[in-house]
Amino acid sequence: MRAVRVLSAALMTLGLAAVPAAADSSPSPGESEDGGAPTRAGTSFRTATEVEQGQTATARASTGDYLYWSFPADAGQRPTVRATVRLPERHAAETWQIDVYDGLRRRQACQYGAQTRTAGTDAASVELECVLRTVRAWSEPWANDPLPGTYYVRLTALRLSTADLGQAVDAELRVESKDMGGAVAVDGALSEPLVPGVATRAGSDEGNDDPAVLAGLEPEDGWTSGRWSDRWIWTAAGGALAALAGVAGYRLTRGSGRPPGVPPNA
């Protein structure tokens, strides 16, 4: 019996010690459960909230606000931007739209997806999607091709009734990309990705020599900007196969090298 009591006391002690550890592992108030994803959105390009690809950013806003996020996209990626807006219980018909801009603030067209949708009076939420064109490593100056760098997402309602202005809504944003591989690779490359700075500097004192603050997020493996792709592998493999085919063709067509009528063992 004494051994049973000792074992029970030890188990209770371990259980009490595990309770604070479990409590410490839970996210603190205001901290996202999705790997520290942001829980707010900016109100302009300058204040756009940075979000990494694969995270689900959330924001509490009012109907009529402009919500801005930014994310990095590298060469060879085809980003897909998805947004969900949860509407109040009572509302009139509302039209919501997402727009995507590159680092030069040029509006990028969507290949496909429901970029604009109208939510009826009985709709609890509205879902939007924009699949961008594949990001190119280099482009002509006059072209509007998506290039490596920072991209901005703007979410807003286009047509609202006066009664709906200011009502609370919950918004979610998620960006994911598909790697398109060497099939979309080009020969040129940007010297630097299109990651804009801000007008203000890190310090407010006069004479401060700190550099301008840039957008802090970049792709997981860094900016490649077309330096490497599987296009090089396919090019090398094609060259090797061509060489082998040439050697095999030569061996098949060179002949025996003996004059006609001479037996092989002569």
Side-chain angles (χ1 to χ4, degrees):
M1 291 296 293
R2 185 176 179 180
V4 174
R5 292 195 192 98
V6 173
L7 182 59
S8 301
L11 291 175
M12 289 181 63
T13 303
L14 290 175
L16 292 174
V19 170
D24 292 341
S25 64
S26 60
S28 59
E31 186 176 299
S32 173
E33 297 180 359
D34 188 14
T39 57
R40 62 180 181 84
T43 56
S44 66
F45 285 103
R46 290 168 55 89
T47 61
T49 298
E50 295 182 340
V51 57
E52 295 182 359
Q53 293 194 30
Q55 288 184 330
T56 301
T58 58
R60 182 79 169 174
S62 299
T63 307
D65 291 344
Y66 285 85
L67 306 180
Y68 286 83
W69 293 271
S70 66
F71 66 92
D74 203 5
Q77 293 183 339
R78 188 179 68 185
T80 299
V81 181
R82 295 184 178 91
T84 302
V85 182
R86 292 181 174 81
L87 306 172
E89 292 183 4
R90 297 182 180 179
H91 62 85
E94 300 178 2
T95 301
W96 288 80
Q97 178 173 304
I98 52 173
D99 298 292
V100 184
Y101 301 83
D102 64 8
L104 299 178
R105 298 188 185 180
R106 303 177 301 182
R107 185 176 181 273
Q108 293 295 321
C110 301
Q111 270 191 319
Y112 52 87
Q115 183 182 7
T116 304
R117 270 187 173 173
T118 299
T121 56
D122 57 344
S125 63
V126 57
E127 296 182 357
L128 307 169
E129 182 181 36
C130 176
V131 180
L132 295 174
R133 293 173 295 167
T134 303
V135 178
R136 295 168 56 88
W138 179 84
S139 178
E140 296 289 346
W142 46 263
N144 194 35
D145 296 322
L147 296 171
T150 300
Y151 283 77
Y152 297 92
V153 181
R154 183 177 69 186
L155 172 65
T156 188
L158 299 180
R159 290 181 289 274
L160 290 171
S161 64
T162 305
D164 285 342
L165 287 174
Q167 290 198 72
V169 294
D170 293 317
E172 290 184 1
L173 180 86
R174 187 176 182 86
V175 181
E176 295 177 325
S177 287
K178 179 179 180 182
D179 190 358
M180 303 305 292
V184 297
V186 295
D187 295 330
L190 294 181
S191 58
E192 294 291 341
L194 299 178
V195 180
V198 294
T200 58
R201 293 181 179 271
S204 58
D205 298 334
E206 294 183 1
N208 195 331
D209 295 331
D210 291 341
V213 179
L214 300 177
L217 294 182
E218 63 179 35
E220 200 173 307
D221 299 328
W223 298 104
T224 61
S225 191
R227 288 195 301 268
W228 171 258
S229 71
D230 55 5
R231 181 180 181 185
W232 295 93
I233 300 176
W234 288 108
T235 302
L241 290 175
L244 291 175
V247 172
Y250 172 75
R251 292 177 63 88
L252 290 173
T253 59
R254 67 176 181 172
S256 62
R258 293 185 298 273
V262 179
N265 296 327

